[in-house]
Amino acid sequence: MSTKYTELIDKIATENNATKNELIEIITNHENDNYLFDKADELRQKIYGKDVFLRGLIEFTNYCKNNCLYCGIRMGNHNVERYRLTKSEILECCETGYKLGFRTFVLQGGEDLFYTDEMLCDIIKTIKSDYNDCAITLSLGERSFDSFQKLYDAGADRYLLRHETSNPEHYTKLHPQNMSLKTRTDCLLELRRIGFQVGAGFMVGSPYQTTENLAEDLLFLKDFNPHMVGIGPFIPHKDTPYKEYKQGSMRDTLVMVALTRLLIPKTLLPSTTALGTINPQGREMGLKAGANVVMPNLSPTRFRELYSLYDNKICTGDEAAECRVCLEKRVISAGFKIVTNRGDSKV
Ligand code: 5AD
Ligand code: FES
């Protein structure tokens, strides 16, 4: 282990800040990874102890009007059978989830205009009145500011919208021409202004991403200071233009998770399904590198395979209860414990 780097890691952990060059140094030097992961773990434990928060993920539609080049449910993919859950199907997921101890429901979907503001507000209000001790997180992509406001007024608490990459040129390589980083960051700022707890994040190892981009993503997060940060490896999907690109590495993803913990100590950081997909122990390793959230799938089993953002996604054949038990075992084996409160951010 080199002292130069351990000192640098200590400095970042103490100051919760770093320069781009310092971040690049840590990302490119592999020698001190374990030291970095331990520091991140230590910092997380100072704030959240051994607690790991549970979020029940309900993937309620795989229709999407966008054509992001990396994503398996892009509009241009005609090989995917599309589905939408009805209000009562969504409520059934919540009922199952509530019984299993979930106190946050994450409603995630493609950008699907079929669900009007009125429909979504009605669903949100019903969930909030049936389960008033629960938080609702939305992950619906970009919508109008007026729509964000309505969803918040209806009772939604949090909103996840990954920025995907903070470099505008890189952004245009991952997305079609009608999408821009500016629109995305404007949405993030507006969501926060409205009062949502907001999540940003990015993929590690996405096509054309450089080490410099990764450092920029971390600095973007540091500056934006989100309540939540979603980070997972890019995994190619066979029906996308980026099917030939290689997946993001486990090591780089863990380093990004750990550095995010050092830069934004209080943020809520999931150990993602994508991490569990590229390595059977991926989610345990994520927790040990500073993550403190797990998001078991609550979607009805018959639809899970259809929500394939990337190939070989795990958990597509498991019932909600199995995922809940499986994740609890994993959390315990990593040395942590699951807590079943709402788990609001301390940011
Ligand atoms: N590999 C990994 N993550 C992906 N996402 C979309 N497609 C892929 C892929 N091929 C991520 C994006 C999006 C989130 C819901 O899933 O970052 O924001
Ligand atoms: Fe779904 Fe392990 S989390 S089976």
Side-chain angles (χ1 to χ4, degrees), residues 271-273 275-276 281-287 314-315 327 330:
S271 198
T272 54
T273 306
L275 206 45
Q281 292 292 308
R283 285 166 298 174
E284 289 85 330
M285 287 154 89
L287 294 172
I314 51 170
C315 293
L327 268 168
R330 290 173 186 275

Side-chain angles (χ1 to χ4, degrees), residues 200-242:
F202 59 97
M203 290 176 290
V204 179
S206 61
Y208 304 105
Q209 186 179 58
T210 62
T211 304
E212 204 175 315
N213 292 153
L214 287 173
E216 289 164 353
D217 280 320
L218 292 171
L219 293 175
F220 172 90
L221 290 173
K222 172 68 192 166
D223 181 54
F224 184 61
N225 195 34
H227 302 87
M228 304 163 284
V229 177
I231 297 174
F234 161 74
I235 305 172
H237 185 289
K238 62 180 185 348
D239 298 320
T240 64
Y242 287 156

